[in-house]
Amino acid sequence: MGADLLIKNAKIVPEQGVISGSLAVKNGKIAAVASGDLLTEALEVRDIGGKYLFPGAIDTHPHFFDPGAEWREDFWHGTCAAASGGFTTVLDMPNTLPPVKDGKTFALKLRRAMAGSLVDYALWGSAMPDNITDLEELQRLGCIAFKGFTLDAGPDFQWSDEYEQLREMKKISELNGIFGVHAEHAVLVQRFTELYADEEWSLQVHDKSRPPEAELTAVNTLLMYSKLTGCRLHICHLSIPEGAQLIAKAKECGVDVTAETCSHYLTLNYEDNAELGTFGKINPPLRSRERMEQMWEYVLDGTVDYLGTDHAPYLKCEKAGEDGDPRKAACGAPEIDIAIPLLLEEGIKKRNMSPVRFA
């Protein structure tokens, strides 16, 4: 058997365990995997010196800002970064300009993805109070899930209070769809933000303004609604171990829920990384060192199902904030090209995470 590419001396990571051996590729597909050497000729041979060879990863949560804000990043540049970071499939979020809320806006986003994406992709749809009658069409067109916000998400994306969350989840349950949620309680965030409005801004103040209690309250409500409606639920970018504990208990009770976290919640915290300033301003916020370490427990035991990068690059001027006001700085950070290397280091090398679990 002739191959196009032969990779030798690799630690290959399929589902059943790590194989020390070789892998052959022909016509863009894996043609053979074997322990030790594969006796085959190939156009290209690479000896990777005992390094891991993982399956291409799926990012459940990138923001490529295409269409609407391509000066930050478009599909081409975003997916180039994804490929360089080990992601071969991206599930792009719908809160672009315009958001993916109906057939017309889905078609626009799909055209951009088809023209620009370097890797495989799928598209999220929006779940907002004003597009509940469009959800069925979005699912028919191919949206893999529906994204909602439980608090203000800017002027172009309607957020959903508890009444609307319940209404949306009932509808999505009828469609056997998935409701993915940015979970922070609107009133708690508003009141705590007001409480700390006069305190000098820092990453710790950002955490206190959008505290763990706000995320925990929203997660708890969503889990209850999922149980009541039977709607499949996905908690986006989970940042707190208390939320992971609730999700673990809900899974034990039969609630159909998955959770993702991000490399920034597993590698950064407001204590050790205070010098990042607004470049570390993300929602939900970076938490304490203790919470960061506790999140690893739920990654390692399987409570957290996915890594979603929440990749969201901004211009430096946007991260500085209008007139230099950190409270007006954009929230988000780029990481799709570095998330996997960071978590390989932190998970496998430092915490003895199984390579199969990592994959």
Side-chain angles (χ1 to χ4, degrees):
M1 178 199 75
D4 299 320
L5 172 65
L6 177 63
I7 300 174
K8 302 172 62 176
N9 195 17
K11 294 178 181 176
I12 304 163
V13 189
E15 290 185 64
Q16 65 268 30
V18 179
I19 299 171
S20 295
S22 304
L23 180 146
V25 177
K26 188 174 180 63
N27 297 327
K29 296 183 179 181
I30 296 172
V33 177
S35 298
D37 288 332
L38 272 170
L39 300 178
T40 183
E41 294 183 355
L43 298 176
E44 181 181 359
V45 178
R46 296 185 191 177
D47 187 325
I48 65 172
K51 294 182 174 67
Y52 284 110
L53 185 60
F54 285 97
I58 301 170
D59 185 0
T60 56
H61 197 136
H63 297 270
F64 291 141
F65 296 116
D66 186 357
E70 295 90 338
W71 63 86
R72 297 172 184 154
E73 190 172 66
D74 58 16
F75 262 103
W76 169 253
H77 291 91
T79 56
C80 282
S84 75
F87 289 101
T88 54
T89 302
V90 292
L91 315 182
D92 195 50
M93 281 290 165
N95 42 319
T96 43
L97 295 174
V100 181
K101 60 180 292 183
D102 53 25
K104 181 180 178 180
T105 51
F106 176 86
L108 172 61
K109 183 75 166 281
L110 182 61
R111 286 197 300 271
R112 297 298 184 91
M114 291 175 67
S117 185
L118 184 71
V119 302
D120 291 336
Y121 59 86
L123 303 180
W124 283 74
S126 302
M128 298 185 285
D130 71 347
N131 81 322
I132 195 165
T133 58
D134 297 297
L135 299 181
E136 188 170 358
E137 180 187 20
L138 285 170
Q139 187 181 61
R140 178 179 57 79
L141 290 171
C143 283
I144 53 164
F146 302 98
K147 173 70 177 295
F149 284 80
T150 63
L151 77 173
D152 183 26
D156 301 294
F157 198 108
Q158 286 190 331
W159 66 280
S160 304
D161 61 19
E162 283 87 346
Y163 170 79
E164 296 294 352
Q165 291 165 40
L166 183 58
R167 182 168 166 256
E168 289 155 7
M169 291 178 77
K170 286 180 177 178
K171 179 61 177 179
I172 293 169
S173 178
E174 292 174 7
L175 300 174
N176 194 30
I178 299 171
F179 188 44
V181 198
H182 179 125
E184 293 179 278
H185 192 274
V187 174
L188 289 177
V189 168
Q190 177 188 347
R191 297 297 294 273
F192 277 105
T193 298
E194 292 169 355
L195 179 64
Y196 295 105
D198 295 329
E199 194 166 325
E200 183 180 1
W201 190 91
S202 66
L203 288 179
Q204 184 173 12
V205 170
H206 188 51
D207 169 74
K208 291 194 293 186
S209 300
R210 306 174 76 110
E213 293 86 350
E215 188 173 354
L216 187 65
T217 300
V219 169
N220 189 52
T221 299
L222 290 161
L223 290 170
M224 177 179 66
Y225 288 174
S226 177
K227 186 174 182 178
L228 288 172
T229 64
C231 179
R232 294 190 288 167
L233 175 65
H234 178 67
I235 301 297
C236 295
H237 45 50
L238 184 71
S239 74
I240 53 171
E242 298 94 331
Q245 186 177 30
L246 272 184
I247 290 166
K249 290 180 179 178
K251 287 181 176 183
E252 291 175 0
C253 295
V255 176
D256 193 345
V257 57
T258 55
E260 71 185 29
T261 194
C262 311
S263 63
H264 46 267
Y265 299 126
L266 301 172
T267 61
L268 301 174
N269 61 80
Y270 66 69
E271 295 170 81
D272 297 326
N273 307 106
E275 76 285 352
L276 292 176
T278 54
F279 287 95
K281 187 182 182 189
I282 300 168
N283 294 332
L286 300 181
R287 303 301 188 182
S288 66
R289 183 189 305 118
E290 181 180 9
R291 283 194 168 92
M292 182 195 79
E293 289 295 338
Q294 288 175 344
M295 279 298 294
W296 272 104
E297 298 176 18
Y298 294 99
V299 170
L300 295 173
D301 74 6
T303 299
V304 174
D305 301 277
Y306 305 113
L307 166 68
T309 63
D310 201 10
H311 171 81
Y314 290 90
L315 303 183
K316 286 185 177 181
C317 60
E318 294 175 299
K319 291 300 291 182
E322 184 180 343
D323 300 321
D325 183 353
R327 284 182 165 82
K328 296 179 181 178
C331 295
E335 67 177 68
I336 202 167
D337 54 343
I338 60 171
I340 289 176
L342 283 172
L343 294 181
L344 278 169
E345 178 80 18
E346 292 292 327
I348 292 178
K349 294 186 72 173
K350 292 186 179 181
R351 292 174 174 84
N352 296 316
M353 187 179 192
S354 158
V356 174
R357 169 74 189 121
F358 183 91

